Amino acid sequence: MNTSIPEHKPTNSNSPREPIFKNLPLGTLLILLIIGAIFVVRLGEPEGSNYVWAAKAALVSGKLTQYLTQGTGGTSELWPLISYQFLHAGVFHMVMNVAMLLQVGPICEIGFIPNANLNNYSNIPKENFATKLKAKAALLFILYFLACGIIAALGFVWFNWDSPIPLVGASGSISGIFAGYLWSAFIMAPRGSQIVRPLAESAIVFLIINVGLAALVRGSDLIAIAWEAHLFGFLAGLALYPLFYRLSRIRP
């Protein structure tokens, strides 16, 4: 049985929209919907209050390290390693992360579909086999997102062992997705294309802004940005993408 999407030529369209926005990949869409839904729910919070579930969803380094080293609390202390990724501190925080995910998530996810690319994704036939490949890519993308976020959080905890300051936001996870985007763009590129240098430059610029500049901003007490999560999320994405890519090539 063929285990890849047959290659398709892009079709002409009068729409000025980019192909990806005509058919946003399922995994990227689901993560965006969860982030948006949680943010909308929190808009209904009474002023000056904090939902108990939201407080428990944030990752607090001090609580996690106490559980890991002293056994204080229960396994529920591990839940924030996942839940913090979908919780945001405000509109600007959420919009920035959502915008970044919209940019790099689709390319990363499409890379988990054999022979798929930005040009042919929206034209992939709707046969049962192709649908399975899309669903598998979505599952792998979500797991990849969560894994990068968990490693990003552990990196933050390592540098902030006893900190009582809560960590929230998807930026660590999306830093991993950005690394996956670089891998995917490299793999999708036609043979002979000079893409290594621009991708390397993109990675350097990303690290300068999201790690170097973020550390400088936090060190100046301007904005509390978790540069450690950005760094470890990115490194996790670089290391884990080849594994998830191989999994995507196993027959469903």
Side-chain angles (χ1 to χ4, degrees):
M1 178 186 292
N2 181 23
T3 60
S4 64
I5 296 294
E7 295 189 19
H8 292 266
K9 295 181 179 180
T11 57
N12 293 327
S13 174
N14 295 324
S15 172
R17 294 177 298 171
E18 292 295 328
I20 195 60
F21 293 109
K22 298 177 184 177
N23 200 353
L24 195 65
L26 179 61
T28 304
L29 178 61
L30 286 175
I31 291 173
L32 289 169
L33 288 175
I34 293 172
I35 290 174
I38 290 175
F39 184 79
V40 169
V41 168
R42 295 200 67 208
L43 289 177
E45 293 178 303
E47 186 175 352
S49 70
N50 193 5
Y51 284 163
V52 173
W53 63 266
K56 290 183 177 179
L59 177 71
V60 179
S61 296
K63 289 183 178 180
L64 180 61
T65 55
Q66 284 181 3
Y67 170 71
L68 294 176
T69 60
Q70 303 173 19
T72 304
T75 54
S76 60
E77 298 297 338
L78 298 176
W79 168 244
L81 286 170
I82 293 177
S83 58
Y84 91 94
Q85 301 176 44
F86 301 95
L87 196 66
H88 289 83
V91 176
F92 181 76
H93 188 203
M94 185 200 67
V95 169
M96 290 296 292
N97 280 339
V98 164
M100 187 67 174
L101 184 57
L102 276 171
Q103 288 181 339
V104 300
I107 290 86
C108 178
E109 182 175 347
I110 290 173
F112 292 142
I113 305 175
N115 285 346
N117 55 56
L118 286 178
N119 286 326
N120 69 15
Y121 181 79
S122 60
N123 301 317
I124 290 174
K126 299 184 181 301
E127 287 97 352
N128 187 46
F129 179 69
T131 300
K132 287 183 178 179
L133 286 179
K134 283 187 174 183
K136 180 181 178 181
L139 176 60
L140 287 174
F141 178 78
I142 293 172
L143 292 175
Y144 178 66
F145 176 94
L146 295 175
C148 290
I150 290 172
I151 295 174
L154 292 176
F156 176 82
V157 171
W158 180 264
F159 280 89
N160 302 273
W161 195 251
D162 294 319
S163 174
I165 300 175
L167 174 68
V168 295
S171 55
S173 314
I174 296 172
S175 295
I177 298 299
F178 181 81
Y181 155 81
L182 296 177
W183 268 114
S184 188
F186 173 75
I187 293 170
M188 288 183 189
R191 290 184 179 179
S193 60
Q194 302 297 319
I195 196 172
V196 174
R197 181 173 179 176
L199 290 180
E201 290 173 348
S202 295
I204 292 171
V205 171
F206 176 86
L207 291 173
I208 289 174
I209 294 175
N210 291 278
V211 178
L213 184 59
L216 182 62
V217 169
R218 194 173 92 194
S220 302
D221 292 327
L222 296 175
I223 305 175
I225 302 177
W227 62 267
E228 303 94 336
H230 297 171
L231 175 60
F232 279 85
F234 179 80
L235 294 176
L238 282 180
L240 291 176
Y241 187 87
L243 170 62
F244 280 82
Y245 180 82
R246 288 193 176 191
L247 291 174
S248 72
R249 266 52 186 176
I250 297 175
R251 180 180 301 179

